[in-house]
Amino acid sequence: MSAAGSRLNGAAAIALALLLSLWFFFVNGGATFYFDSIEYIDRGHQLLSIIGFELSPFQDPSVAGTNTAAAIAQDGAVETVDGSRSMVYSLLAGIFFWLGAVDGLVAMNAVMAVATIWLSCRLAVRDLANAPQPSSIALVAVALSALGSLPFYVAFVMPDLFTPILLIVAALLSAFGLKMKTWELVVVTALGCLAITVSISNLAIGLILFPIVVLKAILVSEPRRWLGPSLMLVIVLAGIGEQAILRVAAKQVEDAEVVYRPFLTARLVQDGPGFSYLSDRCPTNPEPTCALLDALSLSDDPTRFSATNIAFSNELSNGSFQLMTAEDQINVTQQQFQFFMDVFLDRPIETSLAFASNVLRQLTLNSVDMTLQTDAIVERGKGATGMAWGDFEHGRLTADTSWLALVNSAQSILYALAAIGVLGLLASGRQPPAVATFLIMILVGIVVNAIVCGGLSQPANRYGARVIWLLPVAAVIGGVVFAARRKTDRAGIPDASRDTSSLGQRNAQ
């Protein structure tokens, strides 16, 4: 086939992959959204207004209770801004609202997901003589993951799709940093910087992945082995920088303090060790977090101990943190890491068992149910504008979710088979070192996601399903590499993937 024909086929494969990643969006008749989606767009609207953009109202002010403020609470001279929601993603949402197409975020999701998968395929088979074209492999990988959760997160107006993007970036830098061309390094690093700045949980994931990428470099003796860790450090610093800029902006623009929801403290309270620690300590040795114990004592509703209710509820029956003064909120959130250490040292076995249980539970949660707006979420979006396709209402598939149980079962089977496939490919010993590293890093990334979201926050389907579609992608890439090397061995053709001695020279060309 001619070069022009090959390029045309490649473009067609990528176009088809994009359509497959968007199938849920088209069938549903519009994007899906969450409680936080409205707040991201609202905050982005506010930020652009401060900059000087002339914007129409985001929500009808006559719709009571739908406007969401950036402040968590106000208490006299103290104002707080919620740092748990990224300024970067808020600005992205605000820009798409300004363009009159908030659901343009869906198109962005699709392009980023397919591009990242294609780049992974390209790097995995670059040195294989008998491998298919990367675009063809990417099409198969997207098609298989489109049977899983990928299309649901492509259609989701939330930053969740950036988490698997970050995991792929870390895997690529760790596995293929030595063989990546300059433009590939720039693209991967840019994707990583964007991914880590759109969610506070992604920053935590990046901070855990960084030493793992460094460890891989320590364990191998290859030329330019520190390139991957160096670029991963750049990505981590971008995430830290976003938080630093948020603090400065909050102080300069609103004279406010940045407050993070006390997810870690709430997790310890719900699991038991945190509440027991406070109950024992506060009567005789009060500390800042004792204010939360006082707030929890205002009601006898058992649901008040839910980590979600502790962090978000402002109801008198089961709220606590949201009902506290802004000063107490600041003190509780600023102490949560110290509080974790204090509770762990006081109750190490109980805390460790609860943490391990939450991580393991998170690894089993992969339903797409939390990407589908509920009646309560639709009510939150009432009066909101800015969608180019559809509205902040139910779509065809979210209005009636009777299909969900069957989909959950089918997707669980898909993920189980993909996981077995990846582990089998690794056990075969026929994966090139770089590809084996990539597959291992994908598995490690899924576990790290469970540690951050399940162990330190709240086990939830949303957190598991957003990364689990990486298993089918990894299985396809590993399977293609396995088949290509086997074909090469039978034909007696030299396999460049086995020779790493001239890798630095090839990369420099």
Side-chain angles (χ1 to χ4, degrees), residues 153-440:
Y153 282 88
V154 166
F156 199 32
V157 181
M158 284 287 287
D160 291 72
L161 192 74
F162 286 91
T163 304
I165 297 294
L166 179 61
L167 300 188
I168 293 176
V169 164
L172 291 177
L173 290 176
S174 183
F176 304 115
L178 299 176
K179 47 195 304 192
M180 293 169 70
K181 298 179 181 179
T182 301
W183 72 265
E184 293 167 339
L185 292 169
V186 171
V187 168
V188 168
T189 305
L191 279 171
C193 288
L194 179 59
I196 205 169
T197 57
V198 299
S199 169
I200 189 68
S201 67
N202 285 3
L203 175 55
I205 290 170
L207 288 169
I208 296 176
L209 286 175
F210 173 65
I212 298 175
V213 175
V214 171
L215 178 62
K216 187 267 179 180
I218 293 174
L219 294 176
V220 300
S221 56
E222 297 175 321
R224 304 201 312 165
R225 59 178 173 165
W226 295 109
L227 180 59
S230 298
L231 294 178
M232 192 66 198
L233 177 60
V234 170
I235 292 169
V236 169
L237 291 176
I240 295 172
E242 187 269 341
Q243 290 295 306
I245 292 172
L246 174 60
R247 289 177 177 275
V248 172
K251 195 66 178 177
Q252 294 296 322
V253 177
E254 301 184 28
D255 192 24
E257 297 289 335
V258 175
V259 173
Y260 300 92
R261 306 274 180 178
F263 295 113
L264 188 53
T265 299
R267 182 74 260 151
L268 289 167
V269 169
Q270 178 175 337
D271 289 339
F275 183 74
S276 299
Y277 173 85
L278 291 174
S279 299
D280 292 345
R281 183 177 179 84
C282 290
T284 55
N285 297 292
E287 58 184 66
T289 308
C290 290
L292 179 61
L293 180 64
D294 294 337
L296 288 166
S297 303
L298 297 176
S299 168
D300 58 2
D301 187 333
T303 64
R304 72 191 188 279
F305 292 111
S306 161
T308 299
N309 285 335
I310 291 173
F312 295 103
S313 177
N314 55 12
E315 300 292 333
L316 293 177
S317 60
N318 58 18
S320 51
F321 178 76
Q322 293 280 43
L323 304 179
M324 294 160 47
T325 66
E327 183 177 359
D328 282 341
Q329 288 185 19
I330 293 171
N331 291 336
V332 168
T333 56
Q334 288 180 342
Q335 198 204 9
Q336 61 179 320
F337 291 103
Q338 181 60 50
F339 179 70
F340 172 80
M341 291 305 302
D342 291 342
V343 173
F344 176 76
L345 293 175
D346 188 65
R347 292 167 168 80
I349 296 177
E350 188 180 357
T351 304
S352 298
L353 290 175
F355 175 79
S357 174
N358 290 327
V359 172
L360 291 174
R361 181 171 172 235
Q362 180 61 74
L363 288 171
T364 67
L365 298 175
N366 52 50
S367 171
V368 296
D369 60 347
M370 294 182 71
T371 66
L372 312 175
Q373 57 262 35
T374 61
D375 292 340
I377 296 173
V378 170
E379 182 65 24
R380 174 73 69 88
K382 185 181 294 184
T385 60
M387 289 284 198
W389 186 321
D391 211 337
F392 288 94
E393 297 285 349
H394 275 303
R396 285 187 289 265
L397 295 178
T398 65
D400 179 7
T401 58
S402 57
W403 50 268
L404 184 59
L406 178 61
V407 167
N408 284 340
S409 299
Q411 290 183 344
S412 294
I413 294 172
L414 170 67
Y415 302 141
L417 293 175
I420 293 171
V422 172
L423 293 173
L425 289 166
L426 287 170
S428 71
R430 296 183 63 85
Q431 297 293 315
V435 177
T437 298
F438 175 79
L439 299 181
I440 291 171

Side-chain angles (χ1 to χ4, degrees), residues 41-92:
I41 302 168
D42 190 28
R43 175 178 282 190
H45 182 277
Q46 295 174 23
L47 290 171
L48 290 180
S49 298
I50 291 172
I51 295 172
F53 282 73
E54 294 293 332
L55 301 174
S56 60
F58 166 55
Q59 285 183 305
D60 183 351
S62 66
V63 180
T66 57
N67 268 332
T68 54
I72 290 180
Q74 295 185 5
D75 180 36
V78 180
E79 290 193 11
T80 59
V81 172
D82 185 2
S84 304
R85 294 188 176 90
S86 162
M87 181 172 60
V88 171
Y89 193 78
S90 297
L91 280 171
L92 282 172

